[in-house]
Amino acid sequence: GAVVSQHPSRVICKSGTSVKIECRSLDFQATTMFWYRQFPKQSLMLMATSNEGSKATYEQGVEKDKFLINHASLTLSTLTVTSAHPEDSSFYICSAGPSHTMNTEAFFGQGTRLTVV
Amino acid sequence: AQTVTQSQPEMSVQEAETVTLSCTYDTSESDYYLFWYKQPPSRQMILVIRQEAYKQQNATENRFSVNFQKAAKSFSLKISDSQLGDAAMYFCAYRTSYKLIFGTGTRLQVFP
């Protein structure tokens, strides 16, 4: 299957700072990537759809200015949590897939555990 | 809007026994995909099985099979010959316009 790599796996940052999470497709090109957020013992909630070369599409209730998404190449999407606060602490997961598998399978990164202190 | 419901927050099964996890969904679309994903303690999402809505035949992957009832909008997962490694969170998911909508999850415990 396709490989999606997410980095870092864990990050701790101070309140008010920004942190960037990277999502890379290692063996395929991804025009679309997805960013999810997962609170402890809860489900994955789609935050936004990242589109290569254009603006991301955010789900209702997700602050665009808080969660900046950049999809500058066909193999890399980044999520930047700006001016982080303790309530932004969560598990963030990205997913992507080759175009011909878009409907049939999604491949997930390993996830990033963000802790804001 | 599409929704996915998993009514069993937790389930348990004895090793080598069979367990069924429930999932219902709501949609007005006729063509879609349904998935079961497993999330072990590592939190890496792993695809267990998928079902295309236009296919009447239930999908099967080794010890994992589904009971897909399109009219009832039901999509349950049956795990046969349960193994200790099956212990994990299981999420039912609905795919539309390339987006995945997840259910709330079922935590499966497997006892030796």
Side-chain angles (χ1 to χ4, degrees):
Chain A
V3 180
V4 176
S5 178
Q6 193 171 335
H7 178 80
S9 57
R10 292 175 183 267
V11 59
I12 300 173
C13 70
K14 293 184 177 181
S15 289
T17 63
S18 296
V19 61
K20 181 185 287 186
I21 302 169
E22 293 186 347
C23 180
R24 293 182 184 273
S25 56
L26 298 187
D27 52 0
F28 65 96
Q29 293 183 333
T31 55
T32 304
M33 292 184 174
F34 301 91
W35 287 96
Y36 295 85
R37 182 174 182 175
Q38 186 179 28
F39 288 106
K41 298 185 179 181
Q42 293 190 26
S43 187
L44 282 74
M45 299 300 295
L46 180 65
M47 299 175 64
T49 303
S50 173
N51 304 297
E52 188 269 334
S54 64
K55 291 183 179 180
T57 304
Y58 290 82
E59 295 300 302
Q60 192 172 6
V62 177
E63 298 177 59
K64 301 178 183 181
D65 296 331
K66 160 68 81 175
F67 300 101
L68 299 180
I69 291 173
N70 185 282
H71 195 153
S73 78
L74 286 171
T75 59
L76 173 65
S77 175
T78 60
L79 169 67
T80 301
V81 183
T82 63
S83 186
H85 291 284
E87 56 265 31
D88 298 326
S89 298
S90 190
F91 192 69
Y92 294 87
I93 310 175
C94 69
S95 79
S99 299
H100 65 279
T101 72
M102 286 300 289
N103 263 330
T104 57
E105 187 163 0
F107 298 91
F108 289 83
Q110 306 94 317
T112 297
R113 183 182 301 280
L114 170 64
T115 303
V116 184
V117 298
Chain B
Q2 294 88 359
T3 58
V4 180
T5 302
Q6 293 178 250
S7 59
Q8 306 154 315
E10 291 190 4
M11 291 285 284
S12 61
V13 63
Q14 202 89 29
E15 201 175 4
E17 296 297 310
T18 297
V19 65
T20 299
L21 308 184
S22 301
C23 173
T24 58
Y25 59 95
D26 187 25
T27 183
S28 57
E29 298 181 340
S30 59
D31 190 19
Y32 48 87
Y33 290 80
L34 295 165
F35 303 84
W36 278 98
Y37 279 92
K38 170 184 177 181
Q39 188 180 42
S42 68
R43 303 193 78 170
Q44 175 71 55
M45 297 292 284
I46 301 168
L47 176 66
V48 175
I49 198 166
R50 65 169 163 261
Q51 173 81 42
E52 293 92 330
Y54 65 86
K55 288 188 177 180
Q56 293 185 338
Q57 187 173 6
N58 290 325
T60 299
E61 287 287 341
N62 301 314
R63 299 183 294 108
F64 300 88
S65 61
V66 300
N67 183 1
F68 174 48
Q69 302 290 327
K70 191 172 184 179
K73 297 179 182 175
S74 170
F75 182 59
S76 61
L77 174 69
K78 185 171 81 171
I79 305 174
S80 303
D81 186 24
S82 297
Q83 300 175 0
L84 294 178
D86 294 334
M89 282 291 292
Y90 285 82
F91 292 99
C92 177
Y94 170 102
R95 179 148 227 171
T96 174
S97 301
Y98 300 162
K99 297 193 298 187
L100 276 171
I101 300 170
F102 288 91
T104 50
T106 298
R107 180 171 300 281
L108 178 66
Q109 293 181 306
V110 182
F111 295 102

